[in-house]
C-alpha cells in the first residue's frame, strides 16, 4: 500500500469512494519476452467459487437490496513494455445481477484502465430459473482469469 484515501463515514448519502494506490511488482507472470497480467483483482484460482453449487434448487432466490459497485484500476506499464493484447469487454446480465468490464488503453500506451461494475437488483428468482443464476456466476468467474499481455520492446 503506497497511499489511501478513505471517506469519514459520516455521510450516508451518495457513493462511498475509496482510493488506494498500491505496487504489485510480482503480480504479472514473466516469460522471455512477455508479461501476463491477470485482469481479475483479489482472490485467484481456487479461492474464487460460485456460491450456487447445487445442481437443483427447491426454494426461490431472493435479493432484497440494490447496490452498485464500481472498481477502476489503472495499470502503469513497466518501462520497456508495450501492450500486445487485452481481453474484450464483458457485458453479462443475470436474473439479479449484471457485470460489466471495459479495458481502455491510454493514447500514449503507458497505462491501461480497467473499469468493472457490478449491479445488484432486488427481486425473486423462482427455483425453476436457478440454472440461469448459476450459469451467470460461472461466466462471470471465467472472466476473472482473463489476461492482459504485454510485450518487451
Amino acid at each position: 500500500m503506497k497511499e489511501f484515501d478513505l471517506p469519514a463515514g459520516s455521510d450516508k448519502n451518495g457513493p462511498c469512494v475509496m482510493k488506494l494506490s498500491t505496487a504489485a511488482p510480482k503480480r504479472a507472470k514473466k516469460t522471455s519476452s512477455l508479461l501476463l497480467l491477470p485482469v481479475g483483482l483479489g482472490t485467484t484460482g481456487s479461492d474464487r467459487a460460485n456460491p450456487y453449487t447445487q445442481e437443483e434448487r427447491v426454494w426461490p432466490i431472493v435479493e432484497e437490496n440494490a447496490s452498485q459497485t464500481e472498481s477502476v484500476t489503472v495499470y502503469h506499464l513497466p518501462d520497456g513494455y508495450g501492450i500486445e493484447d487485452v481481453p474484450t469487454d464483458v457485458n453479462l446480465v443475470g436474473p439479479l445481477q449484471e457485470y460489466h468490464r471495459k479495458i481502455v488503453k491510454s493514447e500514449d500506451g503507458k497505462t491501461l484502465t480497467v473499469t468493472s461494475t457490478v449491479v445488484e437488483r432486488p427481486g425473486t428468482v423462482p427455483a425453476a430459473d436457478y440454472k440461469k443464476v448459476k450459469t451467470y456466476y460461472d461466466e462471470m468467474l471465467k472472466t476473472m482469469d482473463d489476461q492482459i499481455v504485454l510485450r518487451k520492446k
Side-chain angles (χ1 to χ4, degrees), residues 88-117:
T88 59
D89 291 346
V90 175
N91 291 294
L92 298 174
V93 177
L96 295 172
Q97 195 177 76
E98 296 178 25
Y99 174 69
H100 305 281
R101 183 190 70 207
K102 184 175 180 104
I103 301 174
V104 177
K105 305 174 196 177
S106 65
E107 287 187 27
D108 63 7
K110 294 183 179 182
T111 63
L112 284 171
T113 301
V114 180
T115 303
S116 299
T117 305

Side-chain angles (χ1 to χ4, degrees), residues 41-117:
L41 295 174
T43 59
T44 58
S46 63
D47 295 336
R48 292 189 310 255
N50 187 333
Y52 300 102
T53 58
Q54 302 300 315
E55 288 304 314
E56 295 183 13
R57 188 171 176 101
V58 175
W59 302 103
I61 299 169
V62 178
E63 176 60 56
E64 295 179 348
N65 300 305
S67 69
Q68 179 171 325
T69 304
E70 183 175 271
S71 169
V72 178
T73 304
V74 179
Y75 291 99
H76 296 269
L77 277 57
D79 291 336
Y81 283 86
I83 301 164
E84 177 75 11
D85 194 23
V86 297
T88 59
D89 291 346
V90 175
N91 291 294
L92 298 174
V93 177
L96 295 172
Q97 195 177 76
E98 296 178 25
Y99 174 69
H100 305 281
R101 183 190 70 207
K102 184 175 180 104
I103 301 174
V104 177
K105 305 174 196 177
S106 65
E107 287 187 27
D108 63 7
K110 294 183 179 182
T111 63
L112 284 171
T113 301
V114 180
T115 303
S116 299
T117 305

Side-chain angles (χ1 to χ4, degrees), residues 24-53:
K26 295 182 180 180
R27 181 156 171 76
K29 292 181 181 180
K30 187 175 182 180
T31 69
S32 60
S33 62
L34 301 175
L35 282 179
L36 304 176
L37 183 62
V39 174
L41 295 174
T43 59
T44 58
S46 63
D47 295 336
R48 292 189 310 255
N50 187 333
Y52 300 102
T53 58

